[in-house]
Structure formats: structure tokens, C-alpha cells
Amino acid sequence: MERKIAAKPKPQRRTGVREAAAQATRDSILKSATKVFAKYGYDGGSVEKISKAAKSYDRMIYYYFGSKEGLFIAVLEGIYKRMDDAEAAIALDVSRPVEALTEVIRFVLGYYRKNPEFVTLLNTENLHKGRHISKSLRAREYSSRAVAIIEEILASGAAQGLFRKDLVARDIYLLIASTGYFYTSNRHTLTAFLGEPLESPEAITHWENFVIETLLRTVRADEPQDNTPPHEDTSKWQKSQPAASRARSSSRT
């Protein structure tokens, strides 16, 4: 009598494990690329440096991102997404537009200050005239949410008679971003040029308060005439200004 031998079940493919490993490799490459591009720029950030930093292989970069440019675009998308996610996590009450706009300003200025790689990578891309990020299909998603938040705040303020009705959300967004970006990206050269420690806690607090006051005055519906200069007392954060710089400043008056 012939005995039938039961066939052994085929081993199931552990697709979930492989997918997790692939995602981990991709994330490692992306994280390392962010640091390498921030340190060496686009031209100096070679595939070899990135794969070495990620403890991976050059071919894996091409496999996941297609090219060095594709990887750089992914890095730029990543830094924009992280800022967008952080901004979306802010608890804002648009029914209190003054407080909400103040929180947005504090967030933007603080984010630039706490994430120098973000600023450095944007500097690099601007040197390339934005030719990489312009190829991204996702970049505008991140800016549109930030502008939409400000638009909602401005609409609430206008409805309550607190803000002007002719404001454009994009303009306010650019104004906020420029005050944070310029201060952070030029802090080293401006410290030397002005002879003032722009990275000191006192200087940072002063600038943040000044920007908030300036923006709120810009959007107010009933700007009062006040002859008192904003933040007239700057003695606290200028105490550590070098004597030579103070002398140079006073000699110009």
C-alpha cells in the first residue's frame, strides 16, 4: 500500500519584517544625509560620505532615492514636514486672535533657533536658486497649511474688529518667517558686525518681544499714536557689548 507523504508547508515570507528593515535603512540614510548636506552643502555632500555615515552602501541610496538629487529633495521635504508637523501640534485658539498670532510668532522664531540644520539646508538650497525643491511635488503642501492657519487667525481678528480687514495671510507669513530666518542665519556675522552678542538669552528675548510687538502693531485695526519707542530700555541685553564697539557706536552720533 502506497503511503502518501504530506507536503511540508512552504515557509511564509516575512514581508512585515523586511518592510520594517527597508524603512529603517531608508530612514537611516535620510537622517545621515540631512547631517552631511547641512555640514558640507549639496556639492560637498557626496554619496560616499552619506552612505558611510549611514553605515550603508552607495547602491542603497540609488535604490531608495534614485540619485543624489533625489535624496537631497527628500531631505528638504523632510525638514519642511517636520516643521509643518510641529506647527500643526500647537494648541491655538483662533477665537483669541492676538494670543494665537503671538503663539505662531513665538513658534516660528523658536523653531529656527532650535533647528540650525533647517536654516543651513535652506541656505544651501537658496544658493542653488531653489532648483531642487522646485521639483518637489509635496513642498507646497507644507507652506499652504502654515498660511491657512494665519489666514484663519486674521479672519477671526478682523471679525472681532481687532485686526485690519485688508491683510493678506501670505504677507504676514513672510514677515514672520523673515524675522526668524534672517536673525538665525546671520547671527554669527551680525554679532561681529554689530559688536553685540545676538545669541545671548537677553538678546533673543528682546528680539522675540520686538517682533511680536511689531507684528501686532502691523495687524491692529486701530493703531494708536504713541511717541514712546518700542523696547526703549535695551541696557540689559547690551551689557556684554564690547567696549570698543560701544565707543564706535557712540562716535557716530
Side-chain angles (χ1 to χ4, degrees), residues 88-110:
I90 305 174
L92 296 174
D93 182 359
V94 296
S95 67
R96 298 170 61 86
V98 174
E99 290 81 357
L101 186 58
T102 298
E103 284 301 309
V104 170
I105 296 169
R106 289 191 191 280
F107 166 79
V108 173
L109 270 61

Side-chain angles (χ1 to χ4, degrees), residues 50-71:
I50 295 169
S51 60
K52 183 178 180 181
K55 297 181 180 178
S56 184
Y57 302 95
D58 295 359
R59 68 176 184 273
M60 301 307 294
I61 291 176
Y62 295 110
Y63 177 79
Y64 287 112
F65 301 97
S67 63
K68 174 183 170 180
E69 183 182 46
L71 176 57

Side-chain angles (χ1 to χ4, degrees), residues 29 36 38 61 74 77 84 120 134 164 178 194 206 212 248:
I29 291 172
V36 170
I61 291 176
E77 289 177 342
D84 185 62
T120 302
S134 63
R164 292 161 40 193
S178 63
L194 297 174
H206 171 85
I212 291 171
R248 183 174 64 250

Side-chain angles (χ1 to χ4, degrees), residues 12 33 59 61 99 105 116 118 126 129 144 165 179 184 211 253:
Q12 294 181 350
R59 68 176 184 273
I61 291 176
E99 290 81 357
I105 296 169
F118 181 78
N126 277 299
K129 302 184 185 300
S144 62
K165 296 182 179 180
T179 58
T184 303
V211 171
T253 58

Side-chain angles (χ1 to χ4, degrees), residues 101 151 154 158 163-172 215 218-220:
L101 186 58
E151 189 172 27
L154 295 180
F163 293 170
R164 292 161 40 193
K165 296 182 179 180
D166 61 339
L167 297 168
V168 178
R170 185 206 61 181
D171 294 342
I172 301 302
L215 262 295
T218 298
V219 303
R220 280 178 62 171

Side-chain angles (χ1 to χ4, degrees), residues 107-191:
F107 166 79
V108 173
L109 270 61
Y111 193 88
Y112 283 128
R113 189 173 64 252
K114 296 171 185 175
N115 296 272
E117 285 183 350
F118 181 78
V119 174
T120 302
L121 287 164
L122 292 185
N123 286 342
T124 296
E125 180 59 358
N126 277 299
L127 288 174
H128 288 271
K129 302 184 185 300
R131 66 183 175 91
H132 303 106
I133 195 63
S134 63
K135 298 176 183 179
S136 169
L137 301 177
R138 305 177 64 185
R140 291 192 64 181
E141 294 178 14
Y142 307 131
S143 65
S144 62
R145 179 151 63 176
V147 174
I149 291 172
I150 293 175
E151 189 172 27
E152 192 176 356
I153 293 171
L154 295 180
S156 176
Q160 296 180 45
L162 299 173
F163 293 170
R164 292 161 40 193
K165 296 182 179 180
D166 61 339
L167 297 168
V168 178
R170 185 206 61 181
D171 294 342
I172 301 302
Y173 168 77
L174 288 173
L175 187 54
I176 296 171
S178 63
T179 58
Y181 181 83
F182 180 83
Y183 191 95
T184 303
S185 64
N186 294 276
R187 64 194 184 281
H188 302 300
T189 53
L190 285 174
T191 291

Side-chain angles (χ1 to χ4, degrees), residues 190-200 202-203 234-253:
L190 285 174
T191 291
F193 180 74
L194 297 174
E196 298 169 358
L198 296 188
E199 289 192 280
S200 70
E202 294 82 8
T234 60
S235 57
K236 288 185 178 180
W237 70 276
Q238 289 182 330
K239 281 183 178 178
S240 55
Q241 182 180 353
S245 178
R246 290 198 295 272
R248 183 174 64 250
S249 300
S250 60
S251 65
R252 294 177 181 173
T253 58

